[in-house]
Amino acid sequence: MKIIILGAGRVGYSVAESLVSERNDITVIDTDAARLAELQDRFDLRGVVGNGIDQQVLAEAGAADTDLLIACAAQDETNLVCCKIAHMVFGIPTRVARVRSSGFDVNQPLMGPDGFAVDAIICPEASLTRYIRKLIEYPDSLQVREFAGGRACLSSVRARARAPAVGMRIGDLRLHNPDLGLRVVAIYRRFADEPDRFVRCDGATRIEPGDEVFVLAAREHLQEVLNAFHRPSDQPARAVRRILIAGGGQVSLQLAQELAAESDQFIIKIIEDDPRRCEQLAAALPSEVLVLQGSHTDEDLFFEENVEETDLFLALTEDDENNIMASLLAKRMGASRVLALINRRSYADLMHGTQIDIALSPAQAMLGEFLAHVRKGDVQAVHSLRRGVAEALEIVARGDRKNSKVVGRKVGDLKLPPEVHIGLIIRGLPDTEDIRAQADGVEPEVIIPRSHSVIESNDHVVFFLPNKRLVQEVERLFRVSATFF
């Protein structure tokens, strides 16, 4: 695809890095010539210095024959106006805008062809909030990603000794738990001092303590599945109740507002060092949420606020080093689980597998929302995994046996790369844009595929790909052709 990215900031940088690796034709527009030069030195892309709402700049960037515009500049107004110009003047088919303000909805007439002509809105803060809320809902998981409107989930979990599934072969796991619908699609295992290494999964693969296990399951089975890998049989599940947040930014505010409105079970505290921001937070949040002024790495303050009783510590400041140090300190002082927001990929790689339970990259949390517009075919959802190396893909099977290579065929007969795993098939989803809607009150069926399972037209198939280079082969397989035979 030919893609224009407006904005070379953190989000633009991460999007460019991911899309360039797939050999797309990328042009990045930014007013900062030095930042563009750095991008051009690092990646195989073209940079254009200028303002994205200038028609001449867009023309120089090749807007006349561009397939996709991703507007992720710092200002919402710039992104919206750029989408309008891209549609009205250049006819760019697909336009995605990064919008921080919560007042915009892609279904509003304002966003339609007669308005700003935005096909999709991406909000970084909303993406991060959704991501963290899933970790609160499923505290044993390292990440939870949804498919088929939330009916199926992909989760990664750290295998612990004495948990029921740990030490078992995958084939035995299926035999001992026939009623528990799950599919182990990947294992990442650490060997000595090497980084985690991908381990192919088949019936003979044994799950070892310390493995990071990726598992697909229907939503209603997910907690039971996580318990099987992470929690010894004699240890009861512990819900997240006490939450301590370092940093009072927009993500912290939005998360605290949603959690406080959802339930009174949470005890939420926010530590912020800026007195003015503390006042703003206190005014915007219900009285049950305690806002504390102080340093994010103040050991005495952590001790006074009983950090050792904290179920989840979240370091969500704008500073990577601050988040790392605050998380390490909270963990050392007894916090059950810690998450650090880390923008720099090299830092996130260093922290993975250390005392920090979860090193979360903001760009990776939202990257899949961009990728869904890049993937070819009827792709419904994309999630970037393992810091952009791996990917989970939900794609719809279309056509019939005459014009499709997958419809009417057994899973075992599909010509897929050996590393690719078909994790789930969701059958009976309504064929509408809003797949959360019910079709005539009939609940869709989540199927754990076997080699003899036959794919039907309109099935939603979820794949795990350990390397993004495999995406094109999957897309080609699902492509409908006029004359297949």
Side-chain angles (χ1 to χ4, degrees):
M1 294 185 74
K2 187 169 183 180
I3 303 169
I4 292 177
I5 299 173
L6 173 61
R10 286 175 175 172
V11 175
Y13 184 100
S14 297
V15 172
E17 180 181 26
S18 177
L19 298 181
V20 164
S21 68
E22 300 173 21
R23 291 182 283 187
N24 291 293
D25 183 359
I26 307 293
T27 301
V28 180
I29 302 173
D30 200 278
T31 54
D32 190 330
R35 188 176 293 170
L36 282 177
E38 180 186 347
L39 267 174
Q40 288 177 292
D41 289 342
R42 189 175 290 262
F43 306 120
D44 181 18
L45 53 77
R46 177 171 167 251
V48 174
V49 180
N51 193 322
I53 60 175
D54 187 327
Q55 293 185 36
Q56 291 184 335
V57 172
L58 285 169
E60 184 184 347
D65 60 348
T66 290
D67 302 302
L68 171 65
L69 168 73
I70 298 175
C72 50
Q75 300 297 322
D76 291 354
E77 296 84 354
T78 302
N79 296 330
L80 293 172
V81 173
C82 183
C83 286
K84 181 62 178 178
I85 295 171
H87 171 68
M88 195 171 191
V89 179
F90 298 100
I92 295 177
T94 307
R95 302 156 304 277
V96 182
R98 171 191 181 179
V99 180
R100 283 194 168 96
S101 173
S102 59
F104 293 102
D105 188 305
V106 74
N107 296 316
Q108 293 174 343
L110 183 63
M111 296 292 107
D114 296 330
F116 286 114
V118 176
D119 293 305
I121 290 175
I122 309 296
C123 177
E125 290 77 15
S127 297
L128 277 171
T129 303
R130 285 194 297 270
Y131 192 104
I132 295 170
R133 285 191 65 180
K134 282 297 172 186
L135 296 175
I136 294 171
E137 184 178 353
Y138 299 102
D140 293 331
S141 64
L142 298 173
Q143 62 181 315
V144 179
R145 300 295 204 168
E146 292 186 330
F147 295 97
R151 293 179 177 87
C153 296
L154 171 70
S155 179
S156 64
V157 59
R158 185 72 64 187
R160 291 177 58 187
R162 297 197 305 116
V166 178
M168 275 190 183
R169 295 183 304 175
I170 292 175
D172 295 337
L173 180 63
R174 296 171 188 158
L175 292 173
H176 284 83
N177 301 273
D179 298 328
L180 186 59
L182 66 91
R183 170 60 62 89
V184 176
V185 292
I187 292 173
Y188 287 86
R189 183 171 294 161
R190 179 155 293 184
F191 296 90
D193 295 328
E194 299 178 17
D196 290 0
R197 190 189 305 168
F198 173 71
V199 176
R200 275 196 63 199
C201 297
D202 55 34
T205 305
R206 194 176 297 276
I207 298 162
E208 298 181 2
D211 285 351
E212 183 179 354
V213 182
F214 281 80
V215 59
L216 274 159
R219 179 182 56 198
E220 59 268 23
H221 295 152
L222 184 58
Q223 187 57 62
E224 191 178 352
V225 169
L226 293 172
N227 290 344
F229 289 99
H230 187 74
R231 196 165 294 280
S233 303
D234 58 351
Q235 183 178 336
R238 179 181 177 183
V240 172
R241 186 166 179 265
R242 297 177 180 272
I243 301 171
L244 180 59
I245 304 173
Q250 189 60 31
V251 176
S252 302
L253 172 60
Q254 189 170 332
L255 180 65
Q257 285 176 328
E258 291 185 11
L259 292 176
E262 180 182 292
S263 172
D264 58 2
Q265 72 173 10
F266 298 109
I267 299 173
I268 305 169
K269 300 177 184 178
I270 300 176
I271 299 174
E272 170 57 43
D273 57 1
D274 183 353
R276 183 174 297 179
R277 181 59 179 168
C278 285
E279 292 176 3
Q280 294 171 349
L281 289 168
L285 289 167
S287 58
E288 295 82 18
V289 179
L290 184 61
V291 179
L292 305 164
Q293 185 195 343
S295 169
H296 307 123
T297 54
D298 186 335
E299 188 172 357
D300 292 335
L301 180 58
F302 281 16
F303 180 77
E304 290 172 8
E305 298 306 323
N306 302 313
V307 72
E308 73 278 2
E309 298 178 2
T310 299
D311 299 311
L312 181 62
F313 177 87
L314 303 168
L316 305 178
T317 76
E318 293 292 323
D319 186 280
D320 287 355
E321 290 87 350
N322 208 351
N323 289 338
I324 291 169
M325 295 307 296
S327 297
L328 290 173
L329 178 61
K331 191 70 172 181
R332 184 174 69 86
M333 294 182 69
S336 296
R337 197 165 173 79
V338 299
L339 177 150
L341 198 63
I342 303 177
N343 285 283
R344 294 179 64 175
R345 181 172 176 175
S346 58
Y347 283 9
D349 290 342
L350 283 172
M351 292 300 106
H352 188 75
T354 64
Q355 287 182 301
I356 294 177
D357 298 295
I358 302 168
L360 174 57
S361 164
Q364 288 299 318
M366 62 181 290
L367 191 55
E369 298 180 45
F370 286 113
L371 292 176
H373 299 280
V374 179
R375 298 286 172 255
K376 295 181 176 65
D378 204 340
V379 173
Q380 296 292 315
V382 180
H383 294 300
S384 181
L385 307 167
R386 297 294 299 178
R387 295 168 295 286
V389 176
E391 199 164 285
L393 189 73
E394 176 189 346
I395 190 166
V396 183
R398 299 295 191 191
D400 53 35
R401 191 172 176 85
K402 292 181 179 179
N403 57 19
S404 171
K405 299 176 183 178
V406 297
V407 174
R409 289 165 175 79
K410 296 178 181 179
V411 167
D413 295 336
L414 300 184
K415 296 180 180 179
L416 285 167
E419 305 99 316
V420 174
H421 272 277
I422 295 182
L424 293 175
I425 298 173
I426 302 95
R427 182 167 295 160
L429 283 168
D431 193 15
T432 64
E433 291 184 3
D434 183 9
I435 61 173
R436 291 181 182 272
Q438 293 286 17
D440 300 326
V442 178
E443 184 65 28
E445 182 183 6
V446 178
I447 300 167
I448 305 298
R450 305 297 183 219
S451 60
H452 60 270
S453 301
V454 176
I455 295 177
E456 298 179 5
S457 183
N458 297 327
D459 279 355
H460 288 238
V461 186
V462 181
F463 291 91
F464 180 90
L465 300 87
N467 195 301
K468 287 192 305 181
R469 63 179 171 77
L470 301 167
V471 168
Q472 291 182 352
E473 295 184 54
V474 175
E475 289 175 340
R476 279 197 297 268
L477 185 67
F478 274 73
R479 196 173 300 159
V480 176
S481 58
T483 54
F484 171 57
F485 288 107

